[in-house]
Amino acid sequence: MAIRKIMVVGAGQMGSGIALVAARSGFEVVLQDLHGERVEKGVAMIRQFLAGSVAKEKISPKEMEATLGRIVISTALEEAAGVDFLIEAATEDLEVKTQIFSALDHAAPPGTILATNTSSLSITEIAAATRRSSEVVGMHFMNPVPAMALVEVVRGLATSEATTATVIEIAQRLGKTPVAVNDSPGFVSNRILMPMINEAIYCLQEGVASAEGIDQVMKLGMNHPMGPLALADLIGLDTCLAIMEVLYRDFADSKYRPCPLLRRMVKAKRLGRKSGRGFYDYSSDL
């Protein structure tokens, strides 16, 4: 079946980014969230990004309007009945995702692929909430979605080869580079990245260096474009903690124990850029 219309479930930073990339690539897009204000905010983020691209003369005003014209918004999961492909980008919570996938399984036409943008959770377990496990797959985009080339295509225990091949093709149509990986906690990206971020937080907690110093070492010494603490703020400290919890629980290995400072930051609602404060102060950006 030709994929022409995509539904993105969840209108936060990741979902809005996925919707933008899909619409820019010529797909019709339904951007859905249960909360209408989140959908409106998501579209505003897309419009702001496109306006910036126009200002930088990367796209024309006509291209901007054409992209926006391909996006419709909704607060109803029942919209799944009229699309060809679904990508879930809700909060990184297994219970939330399994509830969404159970609902999508009933709403979407038979044969429609259900993809999840989870950054660490089990594709196999999410698929078990449906009656179409062979058509459930991980499609892990990197943040920020418009700028990052990688998409991890994650095969669950029952994911079919046909499903994997279709998602690889869609990722390529979105201008991304897909890499197929098997279902494992954190996949490849976050199994490597999150322990590094967690160790940077331990360095800060133990007073080894300041946040700025830790980030400078990794930027200048390891040629990273962004320091690990600044990157954690961009990702969201709550998301970092959720991923570390998955790694710690599923591997039962102390090397994945979340740093106590990370836990305290999340409890204090210092979540990074999205809350205005994390390891750095972003209050002027809000």
Side-chain angles (χ1 to χ4, degrees), residues 128-253:
T130 75
R131 299 160 298 176
R132 60 179 86 192
S133 294
S134 65
E135 293 155 348
V136 176
V137 65
M139 197 174 187
H140 180 211
F141 291 81
M142 303 296 115
N143 187 21
V145 178
M148 302 298 283
L150 176 67
V151 171
E152 283 183 304
V153 178
V154 189
R155 300 171 291 217
L157 185 64
T159 304
S160 71
E161 289 299 324
T163 295
T164 302
T166 298
V167 174
I168 287 173
E169 180 186 350
I170 291 171
Q172 291 169 335
R173 288 175 64 186
L174 295 175
K176 302 301 182 184
T177 301
V179 175
V181 303
N182 291 320
D183 193 13
S184 181
F187 318 134
V188 173
S189 57
N190 283 322
R191 183 171 175 178
I192 295 171
L193 174 64
M194 284 301 157
M196 183 193 73
I197 288 175
N198 196 52
E199 198 63 28
I201 301 171
Y202 268 114
C203 285
L204 182 63
Q205 175 180 279
E206 295 167 10
V208 177
S210 66
E212 294 83 356
I214 291 165
D215 279 353
Q216 282 285 79
V217 166
M218 297 306 291
K219 287 166 63 179
L220 301 180
M222 313 305 166
N223 205 28
H224 289 193
M226 180 180 289
L229 299 178
L231 179 56
D233 279 352
L234 175 64
I235 294 167
L237 303 192
D238 51 341
T239 300
C240 293
L241 177 58
I243 295 169
M244 287 305 302
E245 294 280 25
V246 169
L247 294 171
Y248 186 42
R249 181 191 68 229
D250 289 2
F251 286 119
D253 190 326

